[in-house]
């Protein structure tokens, strides 16, 4: 009886160890502290958990009072996807801006500074960078989150980002394996499918992942994508062929040789939850070779943790998941947590004093990078404004990964730089958007701000009408620049981070 109870305790602790749940609030709820004490080895942070660097440092300290060796993960890509600065916009441009500049030393430096901020606040696993090759510019979920469309360029910047982040003591997690850039569907909503053959995947999507693994990336995140060339039935996250056969297998056997952690993308995303269910999907992911189950972007309560814990324990007892596979996954999670704790203790750059480092403001490298990423057309004939402007932001429903709470665009900076400037927001449901903007602007010069103009016909129609009606219209493209430049002045920022907006505003206000 004693042996049976002990085995049961071990099984339960291992099941808890492989979960990476989220939670609500800016301090740790009692249930989370209780589950940490029971064996939970990871947590995931989102914008809802962060008010300030100081508060975040106190939160992670509270968690580590219960479990010193703890993985505290976050989805902090910089650029459009930020959790540290969800309320104000990121101090760092995202991947597309860095890829456009194509200076790996700059990418490495940006990643190191961002990693230092994370480490100072007690975060030691970043679900970044995106290693996706943006091979389909119409895909609805990657876009500016990718370094670009060339596999070699994406590979060198992915490596630089991994090196910079991990040199700061934060484990990198390259995503979304085996590549999300050629999809036409957002896996938050449904199951994407990529019909490329394996030869194409190896020559395109897999190149950055292979380079990142060779460079020592501690973690890889799987994607909820169906790739019939690898597995005709199951998406990457649930596919033994993708995770064990391709990602884990040695290079000499046709694999990528990754021996670090494999973490899933959010399991509550509908590509998994609406097809397999949360519990069943988590069991299949562990059996396929995943080590950590990411859940909590939308689900943030103890009941989710207990449901998944019990599902994994039951799967072992029913023979669907081997005890050895679960134990191996749990050991990998604990091993990465031990590595991160060791780095934190041995670092000589002051990471042991989170309160001091957390209050240090970000340097100027992010703004400098944003300025270098600009592509400006028409500046030679542009005259800076002599009076207030009207800034019209043409918006769509925000990508879930980005979130709709993070401000974007140059409006706030232009209001500061050009007193009296007014702003308005318009969507596809507003009818004749071009006419509405002209009516609201009055005599003020118009600055029209868009993201991914090439993907939205209503947006392109509005811009064309504005440019035809007002020859001094300024167009700012803050997404993936594909359409031909329009307007008296056209600025492509390669991202919508706060610093990208400021860099664009500087050009508009000062010429």
């Amino acid at each position: 009886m004693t042996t049976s109870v002990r085995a049961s305790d071990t099984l339960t602790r291992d099941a808890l160890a492989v979960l990476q749940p989220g939670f609500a609030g800016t301090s740790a709820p009692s249930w989370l502290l209780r589950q940490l004490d029971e064996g939970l080895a990871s947590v995931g942070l989102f914008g809802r958990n962060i008010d300030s660097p100081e508060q975040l440092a106190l939160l992670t300290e509270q968690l580590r009072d219960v479990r010193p060796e703890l993985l505290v993960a976050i989805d902090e890509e910089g650029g459009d996807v930020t959790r540290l600065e969800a309320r104000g916009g990121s101090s760092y441009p995202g991947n597309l801006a860095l890829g456009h500049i194509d200076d790996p030393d700059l990418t490495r430096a940006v990643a190191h500074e961002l990693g230092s901020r994370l480490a100072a606040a007690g975060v030691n696993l970043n679900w970044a960078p995106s290693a996706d090759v943006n091979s389909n510019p119409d895909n609805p979920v990657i876009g500016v989150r990718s370094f670009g469309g060339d596999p070699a360029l994406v590979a060198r910047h992915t490596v630089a980002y991994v090196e910079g982040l991990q040199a700061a003591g934060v484990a990198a997690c390259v995503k979304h394996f085996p590549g999300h850039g050629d999809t036409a569907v957002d896996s938050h909503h449904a199951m994407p499918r990529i019909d490329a053959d394996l030869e194409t995947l190896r020559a395109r999507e897999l190149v950055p992942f292979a380079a990142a693994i060779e460079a020592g990336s501690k973690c890889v995140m799987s994607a909820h994508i169906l790739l019939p060339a690898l597995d005709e039935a199951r998406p990457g996250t649930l596919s033994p062929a993708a995770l064990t056969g391709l990602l884990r297998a040695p290079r000499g056997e046709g694999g990528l040789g990754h021996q670090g952690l494999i973490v899933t993308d959010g399991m509550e995303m509908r590509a998994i939850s609406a097809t397999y269910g949360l519990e069943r999907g988590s069991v299949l992911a562990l059996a396929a070779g995943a080590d950590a189950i990411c859940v909590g972007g939308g689900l943030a309560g103890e009941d989710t943790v207990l449901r998944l814990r019990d599902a994994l324990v039951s799967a072992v007892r029913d023979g669907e998941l081997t005890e050895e596979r679960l134990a191996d996954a749990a050991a990998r999670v604990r091993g990465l947590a031990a590595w991160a704790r060791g780095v934190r203790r041995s670092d000589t750059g002051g990471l042991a004093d989170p309160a001091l480092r957390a209050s240090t403001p970000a340097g100027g490298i992010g703004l400098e990078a944003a300025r270098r990423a600009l592509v400006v057309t028409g500046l030679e004939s542009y005259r800076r404004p002599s009076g207030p402007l009207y800034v019209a932001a043409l918006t769509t429903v925000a990508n879930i990964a980005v979130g709709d709470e993070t401000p974007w665009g140059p409006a706030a900076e232009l209001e500061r730089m050009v007193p009296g400037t007014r702003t308005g927001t318009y969507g596809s449901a507003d009818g004749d958007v071009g006419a509405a903007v002209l009516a609201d602007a009055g005599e003020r010069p118009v600055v029209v701000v868009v993201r991914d103009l090439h993907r939205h016909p209503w947006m392109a129609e509005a811009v064309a009408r504005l440019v035809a009606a007002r020859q001094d219209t300024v167009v700012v493209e803050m997404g993936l620049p594909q359409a031909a430049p329009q307007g008296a002045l056209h600025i492509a920022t390669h991202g919508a981070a706060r610093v990208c907006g400021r860099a664009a505003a500087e050009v508009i206000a000062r010429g």
Side-chain angles (χ1 to χ4, degrees):
M1 175 67 86
T2 303
T3 302
S4 175
V5 170
R6 186 180 300 117
S8 177
D9 286 348
T10 300
L11 193 59
T12 299
R13 293 183 72 83
D14 284 349
L16 282 171
V18 302
L19 304 179
Q20 286 190 352
F23 60 96
T26 53
S27 61
S30 58
W31 73 260
L32 180 61
L33 299 177
R34 182 169 58 253
Q35 293 304 324
L36 288 173
D37 189 52
E38 291 291 324
L40 192 67
S42 305
V43 297
L45 299 178
F46 298 88
R48 65 185 178 229
N49 304 121
I50 301 169
D51 278 338
S52 69
E54 296 82 2
Q55 167 268 323
L56 179 56
L58 291 174
L59 170 58
T60 59
E61 188 175 307
Q62 181 188 17
L63 297 172
R64 288 199 172 90
D65 282 344
V66 178
R67 181 163 295 277
E69 289 190 354
L70 176 69
L71 283 180
V72 180
I74 198 169
D75 193 5
E76 183 59 47
E77 299 177 18
D80 291 27
V81 180
T82 178
R83 311 306 180 211
L84 284 180
E85 300 181 278
R87 291 166 177 78
S90 180
S91 299
Y92 306 94
N95 286 3
L96 187 65
L98 296 171
H100 173 75
I101 297 166
D102 197 12
D103 178 352
D105 288 338
L106 176 63
T107 297
R108 188 177 295 106
V110 167
H112 187 270
E113 184 170 294
L114 180 56
S116 296
R117 292 185 67 191
L118 292 172
V123 178
N124 54 17
L125 172 60
N126 191 7
W127 294 319
S130 168
D132 303 297
V133 177
N134 205 35
S135 45
N136 177 5
D138 288 332
N139 88 73
V141 66
I142 301 301
V144 297
R145 300 168 66 196
S146 168
F147 289 111
D150 175 64
L153 179 145
V154 175
R156 63 177 170 266
H157 286 278
T158 299
V159 167
Y161 199 106
V162 167
E163 291 173 343
L165 197 62
Q166 293 188 168
V170 176
C173 183
V174 292
K175 62 187 183 184
H176 308 79
F177 179 84
H180 213 308
D182 192 24
T183 58
V185 173
D186 184 344
S187 52
H188 290 91
H189 303 298
M191 181 78 74
R193 176 186 173 112
I194 297 178
D195 286 313
D197 57 32
L198 188 56
E199 183 179 353
T200 300
L201 293 176
R202 289 191 182 278
R204 191 177 65 187
E205 272 75 18
L206 297 180
V207 172
F209 290 98
I213 291 165
E214 182 71 18
S217 180
K218 297 292 183 182
C219 185
V220 174
M221 176 178 282
S222 67
H224 309 327
I225 300 172
L226 187 65
L227 297 104
L230 290 174
D231 192 321
E232 293 184 354
R234 292 182 179 176
T237 293
L238 311 185
S239 170
L243 300 189
T244 301
L246 179 59
L247 184 53
R248 280 269 190 247
R251 287 175 178 262
E253 299 176 13
L256 301 187
H258 176 60
Q259 295 306 305
L261 197 73
I262 299 176
V263 61
T264 72
D265 206 346
M267 296 297 284
E268 67 268 44
M269 293 164 63
R270 291 188 60 79
I272 299 295
S273 63
T275 306
Y276 296 89
L278 196 61
E279 292 93 333
R280 176 69 176 156
S282 297
V283 170
L284 292 174
L286 264 292
D291 304 307
I293 302 297
C294 175
V295 63
L299 301 172
E302 185 176 24
D303 62 322
T304 300
V305 172
L306 297 179
R307 281 168 53 202
L308 293 180
R309 179 202 67 186
D310 293 347
L312 295 176
V313 170
S314 294
V316 171
R317 290 174 172 162
D318 294 343
E320 293 183 275
L321 177 66
T322 69
E323 189 170 352
E324 292 76 17
R325 171 79 274 271
L326 181 59
D328 172 65
R332 289 179 187 274
V333 173
R334 296 180 187 121
L336 184 55
W339 171 85
R341 188 185 187 197
V343 170
R344 186 175 178 83
R345 283 178 161 179
S346 63
D347 184 85
T348 58
L351 297 186
D353 186 0
L356 175 63
R357 291 293 297 276
S359 63
T360 303
I365 191 172
L367 179 57
E368 179 59 26
R371 288 167 175 157
R372 289 178 61 184
L374 296 181
V375 173
V376 182
T377 304
L379 186 61
E380 63 282 351
S381 59
Y382 174 72
R383 294 183 179 181
R384 66 181 183 180
S386 57
L389 302 166
Y390 187 78
V391 182
L394 309 191
T395 65
T396 59
V397 175
N399 180 318
I400 292 176
V402 175
D404 58 10
E405 76 275 12
T406 303
W408 67 283
E413 292 291 340
L414 284 172
E415 288 174 350
R416 181 178 62 83
M417 295 179 185
V418 185
T421 291
R422 292 173 47 214
T423 64
T425 300
Y426 304 84
S428 59
D430 291 330
D432 189 338
V433 172
V437 172
L438 290 171
D440 293 341
E443 298 301 315
R444 298 166 185 259
V446 173
V447 177
V448 58
V449 189
V450 298
R451 283 200 281 197
D452 296 341
L453 183 68
H454 68 286
R455 292 184 53 234
H456 305 289
W458 71 269
M459 204 179 282
E461 182 180 334
V463 169
R465 176 159 185 173
L466 289 169
V467 170
R470 297 279 189 87
Q471 293 186 350
D472 60 351
T473 297
V474 174
V475 179
V476 182
E477 170 62 86
M478 305 199 78
L480 190 68
Q482 295 286 299
Q486 298 182 66
L489 179 70
H490 184 279
I491 304 172
T493 61
H494 298 92
R498 176 177 55 80
V499 287
C500 298
R502 178 173 171 182
E506 290 172 347
V507 174
I508 296 166
R510 300 168 186 170

